[in-house]
Amino acid sequence: DTGVSQNPRHKITKRGQNVTFRCDPISEHNRLYWYRQTLGQGPEFLTYFQNEAQLEKSRLLSDRFSAERPKGSFSTLEIQRTEQGDSAMYLCASSHDKAFFGQGTRLTVV
Amino acid sequence: KQEVTQIPAALSVPEGENLVLNCSFTDSAIYNLQWFRQDPGKGLTSLLLIQSSQREQTSGRLNASLDKSSGRSTLYIAASQPGDSATYLCAVNGELGTYKYIFGTGTRLKVLA
């Protein structure tokens, strides 16, 4: 069990650019989640996968956001045409029962 | 719609005190409840998971209780230490195939040496 791994840890991008984040879950976990967290707030749910199927998406996830989990293993979260309001910590978690979170990717849009 | 509330929002205590953090949720139809710790700028560390059929879980100086019917959970920290300083978050996981976790806004704890 190597834990949930997220890359990159930090990303600074110019407004309008596209960014992609990667999450490698704990290998035997079939559920994978993406959350977004801003300063002083709890994590907000973005989307959830059971194996390779994306079962739920939050209304927070606009058309500029897309997530994939090919083959039910790692997952990617892409944000197109980034806006300053996208600046946040993006957290990935995986679970079989108990949820384990990665260290997050901090996105700064300038 | 499930809503999770944590009180107090912030807490400052002297080292050695026992303390209680509170979490309430509006929809009692949950699958489980999990308590997490978050250090500044870091990800979440899982502390305790309580299944909906359980009343409490213990790990070291931590004890979490769950009263599902009243929509409440408490996290008890015994003999607090400066190293316990962090934000503590509770999250509920829904039933009926909705496995997403809904989080409270957390309690920021500072333990003074």
Side-chain angles (χ1 to χ4, degrees), chain A residues 33 35 37 56 97-99, chain B residues 38 46 51 99-101:
Chain A
Y33 307 82
Y35 283 81
Q37 187 178 29
E56 192 167 348
D97 205 352
K98 197 177 201 181
Chain B
Q38 186 173 33
S46 178
Q51 301 289 357
Y99 288 104
K100 66 185 181 187
Y101 283 87

Side-chain angles (χ1 to χ4, degrees), chain B residues 56-107:
Chain B
E56 65 178 327
Q57 283 288 319
T58 298
S59 176
R61 295 182 295 108
L62 305 179
N63 175 276
S65 67
L66 174 63
D67 185 342
K68 187 180 162 184
S69 61
S70 68
R72 292 179 185 174
S73 177
T74 60
L75 179 67
Y76 175 83
I77 303 176
S80 58
Q81 303 171 358
D84 295 331
S85 299
T87 296
Y88 290 81
L89 294 152
C90 78
V92 297
N93 189 280
E95 291 184 340
L96 304 175
T98 302
Y99 288 104
K100 66 185 181 187
Y101 283 87
I102 304 297
F103 282 83
T105 53
T107 294

Side-chain angles (χ1 to χ4, degrees), chain A residues 44-73:
Chain A
E44 293 176 297
F45 172 78
L46 293 178
T47 191
Y48 150 64
F49 291 84
Q50 175 105 4
N51 300 312
E52 67 274 14
Q54 188 174 20
L55 295 187
E56 192 167 348
K57 280 175 66 170
S58 166
R59 275 170 281 182
L60 291 174
L61 217 62
S62 75
D63 291 345
R64 298 184 297 105
F65 287 71
S66 62
E68 294 183 342
R69 192 184 182 194
K71 302 178 185 176
S73 56

